[in-house]
Coordinates of all heavy atoms in Angstrom, one line a residue:
M1 N -4.8 -1.2 134.9 CA -4.6 -2.4 134.0 C -5.6 -2.3 132.9 O -6.8 -2.1 133.1 CB -4.8 -3.7 134.8 CG -4.4 -4.9 134.1 SD -4.6 -6.4 135.0 CE -4.1 -6.0 136.6
E2 N -5.1 -2.4 131.6 CA -6.0 -2.3 130.5 C -6.5 -3.6 130.1 O -5.9 -4.6 130.4 CB -5.2 -1.6 129.4 CG -4.9 -0.2 129.6 CD -4.2 0.5 128.4 OE1 -4.4 0.0 127.2 OE2 -3.6 1.5 128.5
A3 N -7.6 -3.6 129.3 CA -8.3 -4.8 128.9 C -7.3 -5.6 127.9 O -7.3 -6.8 127.9 CB -9.6 -4.5 128.2
K4 N -6.6 -4.9 127.1 CA -5.6 -5.5 126.2 C -4.6 -6.4 127.0 O -4.3 -7.5 126.6 CB -4.9 -4.5 125.4 CG -5.7 -3.8 124.3 CD -4.8 -2.8 123.6 CE -5.6 -2.1 122.6 NZ -4.8 -1.1 121.8
E5 N -4.1 -5.8 128.1 CA -3.2 -6.6 128.9 C -3.8 -7.8 129.5 O -3.2 -8.9 129.5 CB -2.7 -5.7 130.1 CG -1.9 -4.5 129.6 CD -1.5 -3.6 130.9 OE1 -1.4 -4.2 132.0 OE2 -1.4 -2.4 130.7
I6 N -5.1 -7.7 130.0 CA -5.7 -8.7 130.6 C -6.1 -9.9 129.6 O -5.9 -11.0 130.0 CB -7.0 -8.2 131.3 CG1 -6.7 -7.2 132.4 CG2 -7.8 -9.4 131.9 CD1 -7.9 -6.5 133.0
R7 N -6.5 -9.5 128.4 CA -6.8 -10.5 127.4 C -5.6 -11.3 127.0 O -5.7 -12.5 126.6 CB -7.4 -9.9 126.2 CG -8.8 -9.5 126.4 CD -9.5 -9.1 125.1 NE -10.9 -8.9 125.4 CZ -11.5 -7.7 125.7 NH1 -10.7 -6.6 125.8 NH2 -12.8 -7.6 125.9
G8 N -4.4 -10.8 127.2 CA -3.2 -11.5 126.8 C -2.7 -12.5 127.9 O -1.8 -13.3 127.7
L9 N -3.4 -12.5 129.0 CA -3.0 -13.4 130.1 C -3.6 -14.8 130.0 O -4.7 -14.9 129.4 CB -3.3 -12.8 131.5 CG -2.7 -11.5 131.8 CD1 -3.3 -11.0 133.1 CD2 -1.2 -11.6 131.9
S10 N -3.0 -15.8 130.5 CA -3.6 -17.1 130.5 C -4.6 -17.2 131.6 O -4.7 -16.4 132.5 CB -2.4 -18.2 130.8 OG -2.0 -18.1 132.1
P11 N -5.5 -18.3 131.6 CA -6.5 -18.4 132.6 C -5.9 -18.5 134.0 O -6.5 -18.0 135.0 CB -7.2 -19.7 132.2 CG -7.1 -19.8 130.8 CD -5.7 -19.2 130.5
D12 N -4.8 -19.2 134.2 CA -4.2 -19.3 135.5 C -3.7 -18.0 136.0 O -3.8 -17.6 137.2 CB -3.0 -20.3 135.5 CG -3.5 -21.7 135.2 OD1 -4.6 -22.0 135.6 OD2 -2.7 -22.6 134.8
E13 N -3.1 -17.2 135.1 CA -2.6 -15.9 135.4 C -3.8 -15.0 135.8 O -3.7 -14.1 136.7 CB -1.8 -15.2 134.3 CG -0.5 -15.9 134.0 CD 0.2 -15.4 132.8 OE1 -0.5 -15.0 131.8 OE2 1.5 -15.4 132.8
L14 N -4.9 -15.1 135.1 CA -6.1 -14.3 135.5 C -6.6 -14.6 136.9 O -6.9 -13.7 137.6 CB -7.2 -14.6 134.4 CG -7.1 -14.0 133.1 CD1 -8.2 -14.4 132.2 CD2 -7.0 -12.4 133.2
D15 N -6.6 -15.9 137.2 CA -7.0 -16.3 138.5 C -6.1 -15.7 139.6 O -6.5 -15.2 140.6 CB -7.1 -17.8 138.6 CG -8.2 -18.4 137.8 OD1 -9.2 -17.7 137.5 OD2 -8.0 -19.6 137.5
T16 N -4.8 -15.8 139.3 CA -3.8 -15.3 140.3 C -4.0 -13.7 140.4 O -4.0 -13.2 141.6 CB -2.4 -15.6 139.8 OG1 -2.3 -17.0 139.6 CG2 -1.4 -15.1 140.8
R17 N -4.1 -13.0 139.3 CA -4.3 -11.6 139.4 C -5.6 -11.2 140.1 O -5.6 -10.3 140.9 CB -4.4 -11.0 138.0 CG -3.1 -10.9 137.2 CD -2.3 -9.7 137.6 NE -1.0 -9.7 137.0 CZ -0.7 -9.0 135.9 NH1 -1.7 -8.3 135.3 NH2 0.5 -9.1 135.4
L18 N -6.7 -12.0 139.9 CA -7.9 -11.8 140.6 C -7.8 -12.0 142.1 O -8.3 -11.1 142.9 CB -9.0 -12.7 140.0 CG -10.4 -12.4 140.5 CD1 -10.9 -11.0 140.2 CD2 -11.4 -13.5 139.9
E19 N -7.2 -13.0 142.5 CA -7.0 -13.2 143.9 C -6.2 -12.1 144.5 O -6.5 -11.6 145.6 CB -6.2 -14.5 144.2 CG -7.0 -15.8 143.9 CD -6.2 -17.1 144.0 OE1 -5.1 -17.0 144.5 OE2 -6.8 -18.1 143.5
D20 N -5.1 -11.7 143.9 CA -4.3 -10.5 144.4 C -5.1 -9.3 144.5 O -5.0 -8.5 145.5 CB -3.1 -10.3 143.5 CG -2.1 -11.4 143.5 OD1 -2.1 -12.3 144.4 OD2 -1.2 -11.5 142.6
L21 N -5.9 -9.0 143.5 CA -6.7 -7.8 143.5 C -7.8 -7.8 144.6 O -8.0 -6.8 145.2 CB -7.3 -7.5 142.1 CG -6.4 -7.0 141.1 CD1 -7.1 -7.0 139.7 CD2 -5.9 -5.6 141.4
V22 N -8.4 -9.0 144.8 CA -9.4 -9.1 145.8 C -8.7 -8.8 147.2 O -9.3 -8.1 148.1 CB -10.1 -10.4 145.8 CG1 -10.9 -10.7 147.0 CG2 -10.9 -10.5 144.5
Q23 N -7.5 -9.4 147.4 CA -6.8 -9.2 148.7 C -6.5 -7.7 148.8 O -6.6 -7.1 149.9 CB -5.6 -10.0 148.7 CG -4.8 -10.0 150.0 CD -5.6 -10.5 151.2 OE1 -6.4 -11.4 151.1 NE2 -5.5 -9.8 152.3
T24 N -6.0 -7.1 147.7 CA -5.7 -5.6 147.8 C -6.9 -4.8 148.1 O -6.8 -3.9 148.9 CB -5.1 -5.2 146.4 OG1 -3.9 -6.0 146.1 CG2 -4.7 -3.8 146.4
Y25 N -8.0 -5.2 147.5 CA -9.2 -4.4 147.7 C -9.6 -4.5 149.2 O -10.0 -3.5 149.8 CB -10.4 -5.0 146.8 CG -11.7 -4.3 147.0 CD1 -11.8 -2.9 146.8 CD2 -12.8 -5.0 147.4 CE1 -13.0 -2.3 146.9 CE2 -14.0 -4.4 147.6 CZ -14.1 -3.0 147.4 OH -15.4 -2.4 147.6
F26 N -9.5 -5.7 149.8 CA -9.8 -5.9 151.2 C -8.9 -5.0 152.1 O -9.4 -4.3 153.0 CB -9.6 -7.4 151.6 CG -9.8 -7.6 153.1 CD1 -11.0 -7.6 153.7 CD2 -8.7 -7.7 153.9 CE1 -11.2 -7.8 155.0 CE2 -8.8 -7.9 155.2 CZ -10.1 -8.0 155.8
N27 N -7.6 -5.0 151.7 CA -6.7 -4.2 152.5 C -7.0 -2.7 152.4 O -6.9 -2.0 153.4 CB -5.2 -4.5 152.1 CG -4.8 -5.9 152.5 OD1 -5.3 -6.4 153.5 ND2 -3.8 -6.4 151.8
L28 N -7.3 -2.3 151.2 CA -7.6 -0.9 151.0 C -8.9 -0.4 151.7 O -8.9 0.7 152.3 CB -7.8 -0.6 149.5 CG -6.6 -0.6 148.6 CD1 -6.9 -0.5 147.2 CD2 -5.6 0.5 149.0
R29 N -9.9 -1.3 151.7 CA -11.1 -1.0 152.5 C -10.8 -0.9 154.0 O -11.3 0.0 154.7 CB -12.1 -2.1 152.3 CG -12.8 -2.0 151.0 CD -13.9 -3.0 150.7 NE -14.5 -3.6 151.9 CZ -14.7 -4.8 152.1 NH1 -14.4 -5.7 151.2 NH2 -15.3 -5.3 153.2
F30 N -9.9 -1.8 154.5 CA -9.5 -1.8 155.9 C -8.8 -0.5 156.2 O -9.1 0.1 157.2 CB -8.7 -3.0 156.2 CG -8.5 -3.3 157.6 CD1 -9.4 -4.0 158.4 CD2 -7.3 -2.8 158.3 CE1 -9.2 -4.2 159.7 CE2 -7.1 -3.1 159.6 CZ -8.1 -3.8 160.3
Q31 N -7.8 -0.1 155.3 CA -7.1 1.1 155.6 C -8.0 2.3 155.5 O -7.8 3.3 156.3 CB -6.0 1.2 154.5 CG -4.9 0.3 154.7 CD -3.9 0.4 153.5 OE1 -4.1 1.2 152.6 NE2 -2.9 -0.5 153.5
H32 N -9.0 2.3 154.7 CA -9.9 3.4 154.5 C -10.7 3.6 155.8 O -10.9 4.7 156.3 CB -10.9 3.2 153.3 CG -11.8 4.4 153.1 ND1 -11.4 5.6 152.7 CD2 -13.2 4.4 153.2 CE1 -12.4 6.4 152.6 NE2 -13.5 5.7 152.9
K33 N -11.2 2.5 156.4 CA -12.0 2.5 157.6 C -11.2 3.0 158.8 O -11.7 3.6 159.7 CB -12.6 1.2 157.9 CG -13.7 0.8 156.9 CD -14.9 1.7 157.0 CE -16.0 1.4 156.0 NZ -17.1 2.3 156.0
T34 N -9.9 2.7 158.8 CA -9.1 3.1 159.9 C -8.4 4.4 159.7 O -7.6 4.9 160.6 CB -8.0 2.0 160.2 OG1 -7.2 1.8 159.0 CG2 -8.6 0.7 160.6
G35 N -8.6 5.0 158.6 CA -8.1 6.4 158.3 C -6.7 6.4 157.9 O -6.0 7.4 158.0
Q36 N -6.1 5.3 157.4 CA -4.7 5.2 157.0 C -4.5 5.3 155.5 O -3.4 5.3 155.0 CB -4.1 3.9 157.5 CG -4.1 3.7 159.0 CD -3.6 2.4 159.5 OE1 -3.4 1.5 158.6 NE2 -3.5 2.2 160.7
L37 N -5.6 5.3 154.7 CA -5.5 5.3 153.3 C -5.1 6.7 152.8 O -5.8 7.7 153.1 CB -6.9 4.9 152.7 CG -6.9 4.7 151.2 CD1 -6.0 3.5 150.8 CD2 -8.3 4.3 150.7
E38 N -4.1 6.7 151.9 CA -3.6 8.0 151.4 C -4.3 8.3 150.1 O -4.5 9.5 149.9 CB -2.1 7.9 151.2 CG -1.3 7.7 152.4 CD 0.2 7.7 152.1 OE1 0.6 7.9 151.0 OE2 1.0 7.3 153.1
N39 N -4.6 7.4 149.3 CA -5.2 7.7 148.0 C -6.6 6.9 147.9 O -6.6 5.8 147.5 CB -4.3 7.2 146.8 CG -4.8 7.6 145.5 OD1 -5.8 8.3 145.4 ND2 -4.1 7.2 144.5
P40 N -7.7 7.5 148.2 CA -9.0 6.8 148.2 C -9.4 6.4 146.8 O -10.2 5.5 146.6 CB -10.0 7.9 148.8 CG -9.2 9.0 149.2 CD -7.8 8.8 148.8
R41 N -8.9 7.1 145.8 CA -9.3 6.7 144.4 C -8.7 5.3 144.0 O -9.2 4.7 143.1 CB -8.7 7.7 143.4 CG -9.6 9.0 143.4 CD -9.1 10.0 142.4 NE -7.9 10.6 142.8 CZ -7.1 11.4 142.1 NH1 -7.5 11.7 140.9 NH2 -6.1 11.9 142.6
R42 N -7.7 4.9 144.7 CA -7.2 3.6 144.4 C -8.2 2.5 144.7 O -8.2 1.4 143.9 CB -6.0 3.3 145.4 CG -5.3 2.0 145.2 CD -4.4 2.0 144.0 NE -3.7 0.7 144.0 CZ -3.8 -0.2 143.0 NH1 -4.5 0.1 141.9 NH2 -3.2 -1.3 143.1
I43 N -9.2 2.7 145.6 CA -10.2 1.7 145.8 C -11.0 1.5 144.5 O -11.3 0.3 144.1 CB -11.1 2.1 147.0 CG1 -10.3 2.1 148.3 CG2 -12.3 1.2 147.1 CD1 -11.1 2.6 149.5
N44 N -11.4 2.6 143.9 CA -12.2 2.5 142.7 C -11.4 1.8 141.5 O -12.0 1.1 140.7 CB -12.7 3.8 142.2 CG -13.9 4.3 143.1 OD1 -14.5 3.5 143.8 ND2 -14.0 5.6 143.2
Q45 N -10.1 2.1 141.5 CA -9.3 1.6 140.4 C -9.2 0.0 140.6 O -9.3 -0.7 139.6 CB -7.9 2.1 140.5 CG -7.8 3.6 140.1 CD -6.4 4.2 140.4 OE1 -5.6 3.6 141.1 NE2 -6.1 5.3 139.8
V46 N -9.0 -0.4 141.8 CA -8.9 -1.9 142.1 C -10.3 -2.5 141.8 O -10.3 -3.6 141.2 CB -8.5 -2.1 143.5 CG1 -8.6 -3.6 143.9 CG2 -7.0 -1.6 143.7
R47 N -11.4 -1.9 142.2 CA -12.7 -2.5 141.9 C -12.9 -2.6 140.4 O -13.5 -3.6 139.9 CB -13.8 -1.6 142.5 CG -13.9 -1.7 144.0 CD -15.0 -0.9 144.5 NE -16.3 -1.1 143.9 CZ -17.3 -0.2 143.7 NH1 -17.1 1.0 144.1 NH2 -18.4 -0.5 143.2
R48 N -12.5 -1.6 139.6 CA -12.7 -1.7 138.2 C -11.8 -2.8 137.6 O -12.2 -3.5 136.6 CB -12.4 -0.3 137.6 CG -13.5 0.6 137.8 CD -13.3 1.9 137.2 NE -14.4 2.8 137.5 CZ -14.3 4.1 137.5 NH1 -13.2 4.7 137.3 NH2 -15.4 4.9 137.8
D49 N -10.6 -2.9 138.1 CA -9.7 -4.0 137.6 C -10.3 -5.4 137.9 O -10.3 -6.3 137.0 CB -8.3 -3.9 138.2 CG -7.5 -2.7 137.6 OD1 -7.9 -2.2 136.5 OD2 -6.5 -2.3 138.3
I50 N -10.9 -5.5 139.1 CA -11.5 -6.8 139.4 C -12.7 -7.0 138.4 O -12.8 -8.2 137.9 CB -12.0 -6.8 140.9 CG1 -10.9 -6.8 141.8 CG2 -13.0 -7.9 141.1 CD1 -11.2 -6.5 143.3
A51 N -13.5 -6.0 138.1 CA -14.6 -6.2 137.2 C -14.1 -6.5 135.8 O -14.7 -7.3 135.1 CB -15.5 -4.9 137.2
R52 N -13.0 -5.9 135.4 CA -12.5 -6.2 134.1 C -12.0 -7.6 133.9 O -12.3 -8.3 132.9 CB -11.3 -5.2 133.8 CG -11.6 -3.9 133.3 CD -10.4 -3.1 132.8 NE -10.7 -1.7 132.7 CZ -10.4 -0.8 133.6 NH1 -9.7 -1.1 134.6 NH2 -10.8 0.4 133.4
I53 N -11.3 -8.1 135.0 CA -10.9 -9.4 134.9 C -12.0 -10.4 134.9 O -12.1 -11.4 134.1 CB -9.9 -9.7 136.1 CG1 -8.6 -9.0 135.9 CG2 -9.7 -11.2 136.2 CD1 -7.6 -9.1 137.0
K54 N -13.0 -10.2 135.7 CA -14.2 -11.1 135.8 C -14.9 -11.0 134.5 O -15.4 -12.1 134.0 CB -15.1 -10.7 136.9 CG -14.6 -11.1 138.3 CD -15.6 -10.7 139.4 CE -15.2 -11.2 140.7 NZ -16.2 -10.9 141.7
T55 N -15.1 -9.9 133.9 CA -15.7 -9.8 132.6 C -15.0 -10.6 131.5 O -15.6 -11.3 130.7 CB -15.9 -8.3 132.2 OG1 -16.7 -7.6 133.2 CG2 -16.6 -8.2 130.8
I56 N -13.7 -10.4 131.4 CA -12.9 -11.0 130.4 C -12.9 -12.6 130.6 O -13.0 -13.3 129.7 CB -11.5 -10.5 130.3 CG1 -11.7 -9.0 129.8 CG2 -10.6 -11.3 129.5 CD1 -10.4 -8.2 129.8
K57 N -12.8 -13.0 131.9 CA -12.9 -14.4 132.2 C -14.3 -15.0 131.7 O -14.3 -16.1 131.1 CB -12.8 -14.7 133.7 CG -11.3 -14.6 134.1 CD -11.2 -14.9 135.6 CE -11.7 -16.3 135.9 NZ -11.4 -16.8 137.2
R58 N -15.3 -14.3 132.0 CA -16.6 -14.7 131.5 C -16.8 -14.8 130.0 O -17.3 -15.7 129.5 CB -17.7 -13.7 132.1 CG -19.1 -14.0 131.8 CD -19.6 -15.1 132.6 NE -21.0 -15.3 132.3 CZ -21.8 -16.3 132.6 NH1 -21.3 -17.2 133.4 NH2 -23.0 -16.3 132.3
Q59 N -16.2 -13.8 129.4 CA -16.2 -13.8 127.9 C -15.5 -14.9 127.3 O -15.9 -15.6 126.4 CB -15.7 -12.5 127.3 CG -16.5 -11.2 127.5 CD -15.8 -10.0 127.2 OE1 -14.6 -9.9 127.0 NE2 -16.6 -8.9 127.1
Q60 N -14.3 -15.2 127.9 CA -13.5 -16.3 127.4 C -14.1 -17.6 127.6 O -14.1 -18.5 126.8 CB -12.1 -16.2 128.0 CG -11.2 -15.1 127.6 CD -9.9 -15.1 128.3 OE1 -9.7 -15.8 129.3 NE2 -9.0 -14.2 127.9
A61 N -14.8 -17.8 128.8 CA -15.5 -19.0 129.1 C -16.7 -19.2 128.1 O -17.0 -20.3 127.7 CB -16.0 -19.0 130.5
F62 N -17.3 -18.1 127.8 CA -18.5 -18.2 126.9 C -18.1 -18.5 125.5 O -18.8 -19.3 124.8 CB -19.3 -16.9 127.0 CG -20.6 -17.0 126.4 CD1 -21.6 -17.7 127.1 CD2 -20.9 -16.4 125.2 CE1 -22.9 -17.8 126.5 CE2 -22.2 -16.4 124.7 CZ -23.2 -17.2 125.3
T63 N -17.0 -18.0 125.0 CA -16.6 -18.2 123.6 C -15.8 -19.5 123.5 O -15.8 -20.0 122.3 CB -15.6 -17.1 123.1 OG1 -14.5 -17.0 124.0 CG2 -16.3 -15.7 123.1
N64 N -15.4 -20.1 124.5 CA -14.7 -21.4 124.5 C -15.7 -22.6 124.5 O -15.2 -23.8 124.6 CB -13.6 -21.5 125.6 CG -12.5 -20.6 125.3 OD1 -12.2 -20.2 124.2 ND2 -11.8 -20.3 126.4
R65 N -16.9 -22.4 124.5 CA -17.9 -23.5 124.6 C -17.9 -24.3 123.4 O -17.7 -24.1 122.3 CB -19.3 -22.9 124.8 CG -19.5 -22.4 126.2 CD -21.0 -22.1 126.4 NE -21.2 -21.7 127.8 CZ -22.4 -21.4 128.2 NH1 -23.4 -21.4 127.4 NH2 -22.6 -21.1 129.4

């Protein structure tokens, strides 16, 4: 997910995406520990997407003051 896409989302959509990604991250970590994960790079991709969303949410909250 690119930053351009994320910036185009509403705050509610950002919250929903963030919740989904956190749940996905949890599931990927669980699969990794049990040896069922096929693509370990997916963990890093999800972590970065979570960080992007949190960063953009923080920027938007700061600029909307």
Side-chain angles (χ1 to χ4, degrees):
M1 189 178 320
E2 292 187 17
K4 288 181 184 179
E5 295 174 29
I6 297 171
R7 283 192 173 92
L9 298 175
S10 71
D12 292 335
E13 290 173 328
L14 286 175
D15 291 337
T16 304
R17 287 275 175 100
L18 185 60
E19 289 174 13
D20 292 343
L21 285 172
V22 168
Q23 184 64 37
T24 301
Y25 180 62
F26 174 79
N27 291 335
L28 288 172
R29 283 181 26 224
F30 192 84
Q31 289 174 3
H32 182 65
K33 291 294 180 183
T34 59
Q36 298 174 354
L37 186 62
E38 294 180 13
N39 184 5
R41 285 185 283 175
R42 180 79 175 118
I43 293 173
N44 287 337
Q45 291 170 346
V46 171
R47 284 180 57 212
R48 287 184 180 152
D49 287 343
I50 290 170
R52 277 189 196 103
I53 289 176
K54 285 184 175 182
T55 300
I56 290 171
K57 281 181 64 167
R58 178 79 174 168
Q59 289 172 347
Q60 289 175 351
F62 194 71
T63 56
N64 290 337
R65 285 186 172 182

